[in-house]
Every structure is written in structure tokens, then in C-alpha cells.
Amino acid sequence: MANNSRQNNYMCSENDERHVLLVQYILGGWISCIVGVLGIISNGLSILILGNHRMRYLSTNIYLLALSIVNLIWLILYLTMNSIRFTLIVPKFLANSHDDDQHVYDDLIQRFTPYVIPLMNTLQLCSIYYTVAVSFDRFLYLSYGLSAETICTVRNSLRTIFFITIFSILFILPHWFKHRVEFTADNNIRVRLTKIGENELFRRIIHIWLYIPVVYALPFLLLIIINLFTIKLLHKFYLNRRQTLRLTSALSTHNDEQHERDITLMLIGVVLLFFICRFPMLINHIFETKLPLTSFSTSYEKILPLTKLFSLSNCPFRHSFNTTVNFLQVINASANLFFYYLFGERFRETSFELARLVRKRVIRRRNVLRDNRNDCLPRKRTISNATIQNQILDQQQLSNLLNTEHDHLVKK
């Protein structure tokens, strides 16, 4: 009873609840759906272009290819679990329908929540450390120049991606045992804590002592250090090039330096976007550990469904901030293609070449279909003409036969 009264003290007012629902419906629902679909398309294009043989020779592109694959899968899961859910379910509550009415899609989502959420967390952790790895890769290129090619190989990048993936799977492994699905008395589906997830020490270790340092503090610190040194080296190389560049110098060397500089600027843009979108997640995670949006109790644990996710004193800000943070994750997973096209000259050239190849194949396919259709018409005409001629011949033969029989009868 004490827990229930405490929860009631933190319930949103009716006006606050409507404000939160509108934010979730517009920003967390439709806008996230639009941005997410564009992100799925952009990551799909990135996979096609970075997977091309012209791009696979560079270790940096291998990291970006892995990052695009992870972002693509994460966006599909996020749209399924959150954005589409908000667009389908929130209008019912905005229309003041009964809170106890369960949407079929909401039941389906809650059934898979204990399995999909840990998978999404694994993909996020992979994305974070892929970003760290590609930043360190560019730092080595700028630091050691041509000698870095013996270290920053495609094989080494694949090994690094493999180890990061295994580490992410093992680190998120305890999260798979936190929740379970139960059926209520009225045959509705609820997600509840397991005995392991209910343990207070387990939650402190997983959500605070391990999660914050590994998922936020360490990668943020590494990215800040690596990119500060990278920017410093880039500035130094730019000054040296201006001092040493002569009109008689080889133009190819200048072009190579410009190409390396563009790749580095592209990655700095990706990392900057990463910081802008990920840092609010750290703040939101700290809020969640202190004032969670989902209420748990040692005697009566439950994860509130979408109809009752209003359990904080500062309800509108907390829920709106949580929805905004989730939307920033969608942007972070969707917008890398912008930097690829803005700074990646070879990326642009490869994409245009692939577009030309696709266009040629479409035109060739259209011409083949048209030629086949044109070939079929004369054949049909020839067959019909032959059929008519055969019919005429058959009629002539029949007529001759009748005439012959008539002559025989006359003679008799």
C-alpha cells in the first residue's frame, strides 16, 4: 500500500499527461518514423556503396560499413518497438478511451520486449565502440602516414570489429535475464522483473557501476582525446602543406593529402554528431537510475505499460526529455550519410557510378523486354498467316475431292 500511494503522488495531472502524449505521438511517433525510414534508406545506400570493391580496400570504410549495418538493424527494431507503437496506441488515449483497453500491437510488443531491448542495447554498444575504433584508425593514419598501412589493414579492422561485437554481446548478456513475460488475470500481457532483475545489488552493478563507465564515460573520454589529437595533427599537416607546397610539386601528392583530409573531416563530423546525440543519453540514464520512468518494488514489481508511464513529480519535462533523447538516437543512426556525401569525394564518385550502372541495367532490361515483345508480334502474325493458308488448302483439297466424286457419279 505504501508503494502504491507513493506512485500515486508522482502521477501526472490530466493536462500534463495529455502534453506528454502529444510529444510522444508527434516527436516519438510520426517524426521518428519519417526520420527512421530515411535513416534505413540512407544506411542501406551506405552499405551498398561502402561494400563496393572500390571502397573496401580502406580499413576506415570497413568500420563505417559495420557501423551502417548496426545502425540499419537498430533503426528497424526501434521503429517497430517505439515509433510505430506510439503512432498506433497514443491516439486512443488522446481520445480518452479506457485505460484498461489493450491494443493488439501493444500486446505483441510487450511479448518481445525482454528479448528485443537487450538486442538493441547490444547494437548500440557496438555502434559506440565502432565509432571509437574508426576514430583511432584515422588518428593512426595521420600520425604515421604511409607506415600506418601495415597496421590499419582490412584484416585488422575485421578482427577489431569481431572483438568489439563479442565484447558487446558478453557485456549486455546479463540484461537478457532481467525481465520476463506474464499473463494477467484478464489475459493481458505484462513485462515483469525476474528474481535476478529484482535484486538491488544486481541493478546497481549493471545500471550504474558497469554501464555508465563502459557505455558512456570510457568511449566519451577516448573520443575526446583521440579527436583532439586528430584535429591538432590535421592543423599541423595543413600548415606544413601550405609552407612546403610549390607549383612544381607533384599534384598527385596534393590530391592524396586533400583526400586524407576530407576523410578525417568526415569522421570528425560523425563523431561530433555522436557527441551531440549521445551526451543527453548519459543525462537521461542518470535520471533513470535516480528517478525511473518505470517503477519497481521488491514485493510488487512491474513495468508500467504505455497507459501508465507517468510516475515522476516533474512529469512533462521528464517524459518529454526521454522522448527527445530517443529521437536524438534515431538522428544519430540516420544522419551519417550526410557527412559521407559532404566530405567523402570517393564515396560520392562510387555512389554516382553505381547509380549509372543501375540506370544502364534498367535501360538494358527495358530494351530487352521491348525487343522480345517486338519479336513476338511477327511470330504471331506468321503463325496466324500459316494457319489461314492451311485452312485455305484444306478447303481446296476438300473441294477437289467432292468434284472428283461428283464426276465419278456422273460417268456411272
Side-chain angles (χ1 to χ4, degrees), residues 141-274:
Y141 265 109
L142 288 177
S143 300
Y144 297 101
L146 294 176
S147 59
E149 293 182 355
T150 59
I151 304 173
C152 303
T153 62
V154 172
R155 179 172 295 182
N156 287 339
S157 65
L158 290 174
R159 289 173 180 170
T160 304
I161 291 169
F162 174 76
F163 287 127
I164 289 175
T165 306
I166 295 299
F167 167 76
S168 301
I169 293 172
L170 294 178
F171 183 81
I172 301 296
L173 189 61
H175 292 253
W176 291 84
F177 304 100
K178 283 173 52 179
H179 303 113
R180 58 190 171 87
V181 175
E182 280 189 359
F183 289 90
T184 60
D186 53 354
N187 204 28
N188 290 327
I189 298 174
R190 290 290 182 269
V191 181
R192 303 189 186 278
L193 285 175
T194 61
K195 292 183 178 180
I196 297 176
E198 181 187 354
N199 187 277
E200 184 68 22
L201 180 61
F202 173 83
R203 281 158 46 194
R204 286 183 177 274
I205 293 174
I206 295 300
H207 290 284
I208 301 177
W209 298 344
L210 284 179
Y211 202 85
I212 291 179
V214 173
V215 177
Y216 297 108
L218 180 61
F220 281 12
L221 183 63
L222 289 175
L223 284 173
I224 290 173
I225 295 173
I226 292 172
N227 281 274
L228 285 177
F229 279 105
T230 301
I231 293 172
K232 183 178 178 180
L233 288 173
L234 191 64
H235 181 66
K236 179 181 177 182
F237 285 169
Y238 181 73
L239 292 178
N240 290 338
R241 186 174 63 83
R242 290 188 61 182
Q243 293 174 0
T244 59
L245 190 61
R246 298 289 184 269
L247 294 177
T248 57
S249 62
L251 184 60
S252 59
T253 303
H254 169 67
N255 291 335
D256 290 339
E257 291 179 353
Q258 181 70 23
H259 175 64
E260 294 295 327
R261 187 178 71 91
D262 289 343
I263 293 178
T264 306
L265 288 175
M266 175 186 71
L267 292 176
I268 290 175
V270 171
V271 171
L272 182 62
L273 177 69
F274 175 88

Side-chain angles (χ1 to χ4, degrees), residues 1-53:
M1 292 297 293
N3 290 328
N4 291 335
S5 63
R6 180 175 62 86
Q7 290 168 10
N8 291 333
N9 290 335
Y10 289 145
M11 293 295 286
C12 284
S13 65
E14 185 176 349
N15 291 334
D16 290 342
E17 181 175 330
R18 189 169 185 84
H19 170 78
V20 171
L21 287 172
L22 284 173
V23 173
Q24 289 178 337
Y25 179 65
I26 297 173
L27 183 62
W30 281 108
I31 297 179
S32 293
C33 278
I34 295 171
V35 176
V37 170
L38 294 177
I40 291 173
I41 296 172
S42 66
N43 281 291
L45 290 175
S46 299
I47 292 170
L48 290 176
I49 296 168
L50 294 170
N52 188 267
H53 64 91

Side-chain angles (χ1 to χ4, degrees), residues 86-99:
F86 283 143
T87 57
L88 292 177
I89 301 172
V90 171
K92 182 178 68 172
F93 304 112
L94 288 173
N96 296 321
S97 298
H98 295 292
D99 290 345

Side-chain angles (χ1 to χ4, degrees), residues 118-131:
L119 177 59
M120 293 177 66
N121 292 337
T122 304
L123 294 172
Q124 277 193 336
L125 191 59
C126 288
S127 172
I128 290 170
Y129 280 96
Y130 290 166
T131 306

Side-chain angles (χ1 to χ4, degrees), residues 351-395:
S351 64
F352 294 151
E353 181 182 349
L354 290 176
R356 286 193 295 268
L357 289 175
V358 171
R359 183 172 177 272
K360 288 180 180 179
R361 288 182 181 179
V362 170
I363 294 175
R364 189 183 301 119
R365 178 67 177 172
R366 188 187 304 164
N367 292 335
V368 169
L369 292 175
R370 185 179 59 191
D371 293 340
N372 291 337
R373 187 165 55 249
N374 293 336
D375 291 340
C376 289
L377 290 176
R379 289 178 184 176
K380 289 182 179 179
R381 291 174 182 173
T382 303
I383 292 173
S384 61
N385 293 334
T387 303
I388 293 173
Q389 291 177 359
N390 290 333
Q391 291 177 353
I392 294 173
L393 289 175
D394 291 340
Q395 290 178 356

